[in-house]
């Protein structure tokens, strides 16, 4: 594909939670504010304009654009929670033009299909956020480790990435965000999904940060058992996920701060609706599809839903 200009110069982001705030704050160290648009409307837009956002103790005032005055951007980053995705897709539609690359840093394995259906598969690159420790406390976000962003086409030829993959890589390199281009991007998404299913749900149910899951014990046993059920459904979906990938996932988790908290545990603490539907809920849907049991995820889903009902 030929672009009007080779480099990514402008970007839009929708979803200024912990993840979006952390990444956009990092990007804004290099990219001028005039080239950034945060997509928001109504009371949320008013709050951002009035109060800005706080990242690592510093106030940031990003330009806010509603759907009526969005400009097409070279890059659209989607970082909303999954239950806000359908609305976000419509709100951000004006930021998608002929040269736009769209990436979703949502958890789960289903957001890309929704985005591709709305904007066209030619706009979408697969991506995920791995190893970042962004945490939201009240109205403030803190981050110390940005981790890495694996991204690319569904399949990437080693040493021969597509033109749009190279375009996005140059951008990540320029703004100082570590990235990786896996050969099998769909497998990479499933590996992250497996980690989330085990760690996020167990953390939310047990009520603990990463520390309790970084050493042997009952919490780690629950997380690993939940991940084994992901491996089982992945194989039936034709994804080359293996039980040995669980060890790799747990190794990644052990690099995070023991005091760190996953997004689902943060949601439980703040009495917010969680993303359990895209974690254990997806595992249960696929298990039912293939006629196999998933008792650990069934238990985790029930407990998390009971917590939500108590709010």
């Amino acid at each position: 594909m030929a672009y009007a200009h080779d480099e990514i110069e402008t970007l839009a982001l929708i979803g200024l939670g912990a993840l979006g705030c952390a990444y956009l704050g990092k990007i804004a160290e290099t990219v001028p504010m005039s080239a950034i648009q945060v997509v928001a409307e109504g009371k949320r837009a008013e709050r951002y304009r009035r109060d800005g956002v706080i990242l690592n103790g510093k106030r940031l005032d990003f330009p806010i654009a509603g759907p009526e005055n969005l400009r097409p951007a070279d890059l659209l980053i989607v970082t909303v929670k999954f239950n806000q995705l359908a609305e976000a897709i419509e709100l951000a539609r004006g930021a998608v033009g002929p040269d736009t690359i769209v990436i979703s840093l949502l958890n789960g394995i289903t957001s890309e299909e929704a985005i591709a259906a709305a904007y066209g598969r030619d706009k979408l690159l697969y991506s995920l956020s791995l190893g970042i420790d962004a945490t939201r406390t009240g109205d403030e976000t803190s981050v110390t480790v940005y981790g890495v962003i694996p991204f690319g086409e569904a399949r990437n030829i080693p040493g021969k990435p597509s033109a749009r993959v190279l375009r996005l890589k140059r951008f990540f390199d320029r703004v100082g965000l570590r990235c990786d281009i896996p050969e099998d991007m769909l497998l990479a998404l499933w590996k992250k999904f497996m980690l989330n299913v085990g760690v996020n749900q167990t953390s939310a149910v047990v009520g603990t940060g990463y520390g309790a899951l970084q050493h042997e014990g009952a919490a780690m046993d629950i997380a690993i058992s939940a991940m084994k059920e992901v491996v089982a459904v992945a194989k039936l979906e034709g994804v080359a996920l293996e039980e040995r990938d669980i060890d790799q996932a747990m190794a990644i988790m052990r690099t995070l701060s023991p005091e760190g908290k996953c997004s689902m545990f943060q949601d439980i603490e703040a009495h917010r609706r969680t993303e359990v539907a895209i974690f254990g809920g997806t595992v249960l849907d696929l298990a039912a599809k293939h006629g196999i049991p998933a008792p650990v995820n069934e238990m985790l889903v029930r407990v998390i839903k009971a917590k939500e009902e108590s709010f």
Side-chain angles (χ1 to χ4, degrees), residues 199-307:
V199 171
N200 283 28
Q201 293 187 130
T202 303
S203 175
V205 166
V206 176
T208 182
Y210 296 123
L213 294 157
Q214 292 174 333
H215 56 79
E216 292 186 3
M220 178 182 283
D221 290 344
I222 293 170
I224 289 174
S225 296
M227 286 191 272
K228 286 181 178 179
E229 293 178 355
V230 176
V231 173
V233 296
K235 290 181 181 298
L236 295 170
E237 286 289 299
V239 177
L241 198 64
E242 303 287 346
E243 286 202 6
R244 64 173 177 266
D245 293 319
I246 295 175
D247 293 335
Q248 181 187 32
M250 296 305 287
I252 291 170
M253 193 272 299
R254 283 191 288 270
T255 66
L256 302 176
S257 168
E259 291 76 34
K261 300 176 182 179
C262 68
S263 59
M264 183 173 280
F265 183 33
Q266 293 180 52
D267 288 340
I268 291 291
E269 285 191 314
H271 287 192
R272 294 189 294 259
R273 183 181 173 190
T274 73
E275 294 184 304
V276 68
I278 64 167
F279 293 152
T282 298
V283 176
L284 295 183
D285 288 344
L286 293 173
K289 171 185 172 182
H290 294 290
I292 64 171
V296 178
N297 276 281
E298 183 177 3
M299 176 272 294
L300 291 169
V301 169
R302 286 186 176 186
V303 174
I304 293 167
K305 286 186 175 180
K307 286 178 177 285

Side-chain angles (χ1 to χ4, degrees), residues 3 5 7-12 72-76 95 99-102 167:
Y3 292 102
H5 43 89
E7 304 305 317
I8 289 175
E9 298 175 359
T10 61
L11 73 144
D74 295 327
L75 175 65
L76 170 62
D99 291 346
T100 307
I101 293 172
V102 184
R167 188 177 188 231

